[in-house]
Amino acid sequence: MTPFLGIFKKELKVAFTTPVAYVVFFLFALISSAIFWSQLRDYERLVQRSKHIEDAEFLAQLNFNDVILSELFINVQIIFIFLLPILTMRVFAEERKQKTMELLMTTPITTGTVVFGKYAAMLAVLVCLIALLFVYPIILTMFGESSINASVVDWNTCLLGMLGVFLCAVTFSAVGFAFSSFTDSQIVAALITFFMLLLLWFLGGASASVHGVVGDVLGFLSPLNHIQNFAKGVLHIGDVVYYLSMATLFLVVAYRAVEGQKWA
Amino acid sequence: MEAAEASAGDAKTSSPGASGGETLIEVENLTKFYRDFHAVKGASFKLGRGEVVGFLGPNGAGKSTTMRMLVGALPATSGRARVCGFDVHEDDIEVKRRIGYLPEIPPVYFDLTVMDQLKFGASLKGLKGAEARASIEKSIDRCQLQEHVYRLVGQLSKGFRQRVGLAQALLGKPEVLILDEPTVGLDPKQIQYVRALIQELATEHTVLLSTHILQEVTMVAQRVIMIRRGEIVIDDTLADLHKKHDGKSIEEIFLAKVEE
């Protein structure tokens, strides 16, 4: 086994031996299903209302993707702000607290192997987490009826939404990695990550009230504005660039912090 | 800084220690400051192949600090250390390939089984396939962990965790073993066992072991390096020490030095 694979496997083993991942999975399923249910109710209400006022045009435009799935994907980002810090908090903080960092520092491996081995394992966990979301379009396909399309769910739009959700998780977990590398307290790591994500998210709201270039920059920095296109099924290269560059930035910070501990 | 000199060829210089032969560990004027605190004050010593050296000193004397600088876990403020001819700062990966290090707190994951922990340790040392399996098996045998292979490390007693840490340090048959207080927290029977194990290991490895238990040194080591307030005050073989201090016991010599 190469050191990279060794770290990858060990991280996955630890992630699924401790209860933390299961709690996060459970909460994610619970909250996302609550959102799904409430959007389903909205959809029903919209159908009733447009039938009542005999707005046939509006009724024809109603579909599961716009009303239910894309709203769900946008809201998942908010769930991630709360849940992902819990998944990433232990990644370096625990190694420092339990003094197992000493093992990683005194065996012939590079800091890059440590950081990317751990990150690859984190992404594997996130793929499992996001895969839970497939339940919802499948439910819609099984039980839904559509007046316009042959398929009630537009899978292309849906898959693009999932990609957006995944990229969002890629970025948020990189933020978590950075803050977990600064401290040996998991709680502190989780809290700071949470506030950082919350701050980024608020930038989206703040940008609306700020005019000019500053507003545009603030808006660009917020993940809120980048999930929208994905959720609607539009692939915008700028959004992909945003998520990947934010992830890279925070991973570099984590790398520097871990490397710094080696020579501190 | 002097990377060019840090070639393997340098390892052939002779040791001042008991057994002669090639020098595996070479420490020159190693110094460590923690902010204002002068933890290690220009330590210099050498270890030859096959030596077992006891690193003695009262608590807080700088034993762990020196050892951590030697394994590349902590950078020295000044001075340099070489292991098997490789500079610890310049060629840290090469140094780490050749050492097995057991820190004061064994670096083991409470959420892994003993087997998974050792597999992880083997992968970090770059061991693969059959080689890794053979090495893990040998380590388990040596540290007598056979009956605990599938238990979680976190459920083991401190003594067993220490043995898992030792088993991990032995993986890949490193030329140099650096053990930081390997018998702390063990029960008397386990202490006896670990001491016997270290004696056995001495046939294949060069061992630097720190302790503050004096009898331990006389039992396993041929040579003693004593550090006090960051300074090396004794570096001699046990036999020579006895001669120089007209037959006094190591306890007496040690206590006299501490109180000086």
Side-chain angles (χ1 to χ4, degrees):
Chain A
M1 220 174 352
T2 62
F4 181 86
L5 203 62
I7 291 173
F8 179 78
K9 275 182 143 177
K10 172 240 144 192
E11 285 293 308
L12 281 184
K13 269 178 201 151
V14 171
F16 288 112
T17 339
T18 54
V20 176
Y22 296 103
V23 172
V24 168
F25 273 56
F26 171 73
L27 289 175
F28 183 71
L30 192 75
I31 304 169
S32 63
S33 62
I35 295 168
F36 177 69
W37 186 72
S38 110
Q39 291 308 124
L40 208 57
R41 291 286 301 272
D42 264 9
Y43 185 83
E44 210 183 345
R45 221 172 288 133
L46 284 172
V47 171
Q48 297 289 338
R49 203 187 57 188
S50 48
K51 273 184 182 160
H52 185 70
I53 58 169
E54 292 179 350
D55 187 347
E57 201 183 334
F58 184 72
L59 192 62
Q61 278 177 1
L62 270 183
N63 65 73
F64 290 148
N65 280 94
D66 286 350
V67 182
I68 300 175
L69 293 177
S70 82
E71 282 303 312
L72 179 69
F73 294 146
I74 291 170
N75 282 305
V76 160
Q77 182 166 5
I78 296 156
I79 310 178
F80 279 172
I81 292 177
F82 293 92
L83 290 186
L84 289 199
I86 299 169
L87 275 184
T88 56
M89 65 182 184
R90 46 154 284 277
V91 73
F92 295 112
E94 194 184 33
E95 303 259 11
R96 290 176 62 172
K97 188 89 176 177
Q98 304 292 340
K99 310 283 179 205
T100 45
M101 205 63 154
E102 203 93 339
L103 176 65
L104 301 177
M105 282 162 70
T106 58
T107 42
I109 52 170
T110 60
T111 305
T113 310
V114 176
V115 174
F116 293 108
K118 279 171 171 285
Y119 193 61
M122 179 55 64
L123 293 187
V125 173
L126 291 173
V127 166
C128 297
L129 185 71
I130 291 165
L132 292 178
L133 289 177
F134 276 106
V135 162
Y136 305 117
I138 289 171
I139 290 176
L140 291 176
T141 315
M142 283 170 72
F143 302 106
E145 281 170 25
S146 170
S147 50
I148 38 168
N149 299 343
S151 162
V152 292
V153 169
D154 178 7
W155 280 97
N156 287 337
T157 309
C158 177
L159 287 176
L160 214 54
M162 295 277 195
L163 177 68
V165 167
F166 176 69
L167 284 173
C168 169
V170 162
T171 304
F172 286 11
S173 56
V175 175
F177 265 54
F179 290 112
S180 184
S181 66
F182 291 157
T183 168
D184 58 8
S185 159
Q186 296 191 43
I187 298 292
V188 170
L191 278 177
I192 299 179
T193 307
F194 169 66
F195 279 109
M196 185 70 203
L197 294 179
L198 211 58
L199 186 76
L200 281 175
W201 185 54
F202 280 142
L203 285 180
S207 69
S209 55
V210 181
H211 297 290
V213 186
V214 181
D216 288 347
V217 170
L218 288 181
F220 182 78
L221 285 176
S222 171
L224 184 71
N225 295 332
H226 294 280
I227 192 80
Q228 316 268 7
N229 288 335
F230 280 109
K232 281 181 219 146
V234 182
L235 181 64
H236 218 288
I237 205 72
D239 299 329
V240 180
V241 170
Y242 167 79
Y243 282 125
L244 294 183
S245 50
M246 286 293 264
T248 310
L249 174 73
F250 282 100
L251 277 184
V252 167
V253 171
Y255 176 91
R256 299 292 300 198
V258 175
E259 180 75 9
Q261 277 151 39
K262 218 183 229 180
W263 301 117
Chain B
M1 286 145 268
E2 283 149 289
E5 290 174 38
S7 66
D10 287 341
K12 301 293 178 209
T13 48
S14 75
S15 157
S19 60
E22 56 183 313
T23 307
L24 286 195
I25 298 180
E26 201 178 350
V27 173
E28 273 170 51
N29 221 359
L30 207 60
T31 302
K32 181 69 190 177
F33 273 99
Y34 289 113
R35 291 180 193 274
D36 297 337
F37 178 59
H38 206 166
V40 177
K41 301 167 185 168
S44 301
F45 57 86
K46 286 179 181 178
L47 252 72
R49 184 179 286 283
E51 274 194 286
V52 179
V53 175
F55 198 31
L56 269 181
N59 290 324
K63 297 189 297 279
S64 293
T65 304
T66 306
M67 287 180 140
R68 293 188 70 217
M69 288 193 282
L70 208 46
V71 296
L74 189 74
T77 310
S78 69
R80 65 177 184 168
R82 290 210 226 161
V83 176
C84 304
F86 294 98
D87 188 278
V88 168
H89 192 83
E90 305 293 336
D91 280 318
D92 65 313
I93 297 283
E94 290 302 319
V95 168
K96 288 167 188 176
R97 257 189 245 288
R98 288 165 176 79
I99 48 166
Y101 170 53
L102 175 65
E104 237 173 324
I105 300 162
V108 287
Y109 296 89
F110 285 23
D111 301 313
L112 291 182
T113 62
V114 172
M115 187 46 118
D116 285 338
Q117 175 72 49
L118 294 178
K119 278 184 185 167
F120 178 56
S123 77
L124 292 182
K125 292 197 174 174
L127 300 174
K128 286 174 188 132
E131 193 192 359
R133 276 193 296 277
S135 191
I136 290 170
E137 194 132 317
K138 196 173 174 201
S139 269
I140 288 173
D141 274 352
R142 280 206 146 152
C143 299
Q144 293 192 319
L145 292 162
Q146 294 93 333
E147 282 158 39
H148 308 278
V149 169
Y150 296 108
R151 287 182 64 189
L152 285 180
V153 171
Q155 290 170 353
L156 298 174
S157 67
K158 178 152 189 340
F160 272 110
R161 282 209 285 274
Q162 192 82 20
R163 271 149 73 171
V164 176
L166 188 59
Q168 183 167 257
L170 295 177
L171 290 172
K173 229 180 149 186
E175 287 176 76
V176 177
L177 278 179
I178 294 181
L179 311 174
D180 199 350
E181 311 223 349
T183 54
V184 154
L186 302 188
D187 63 43
K189 209 177 146 215
Q190 289 174 328
I191 290 180
Q192 212 176 22
Y193 177 76
V194 170
R195 284 176 186 168
L197 178 62
I198 291 167
Q199 277 171 321
E200 191 194 320
L201 292 173
T203 57
E204 294 174 26
H205 309 265
T206 300
V207 186
L208 177 65
L209 121 138
S210 84
T211 180
H212 57 260
I213 303 165
L214 300 166
Q215 304 95 300
E216 198 156 286
V217 175
T218 51
M219 289 179 80
V220 300
Q222 306 110 33
R223 200 176 124 207
V224 175
I225 296 173
M226 188 184 147
I227 187 166
R228 185 196 58 190
R229 278 176 252 129
E231 274 172 295
I232 289 182
V233 288
I234 295 176
D235 180 0
D236 224 335
T237 61
L238 282 171
D240 283 351
L241 265 183
H242 277 297
K243 261 184 242 158
K244 280 183 203 162
H245 294 82
D246 16 82
K248 277 192 206 156
S249 72
I250 178 93
E251 276 92 343
E252 287 168 308
I253 302 167
F254 179 82
L255 289 172
K257 273 288 174 194
V258 169
E259 273 151 33
E260 241 173 45

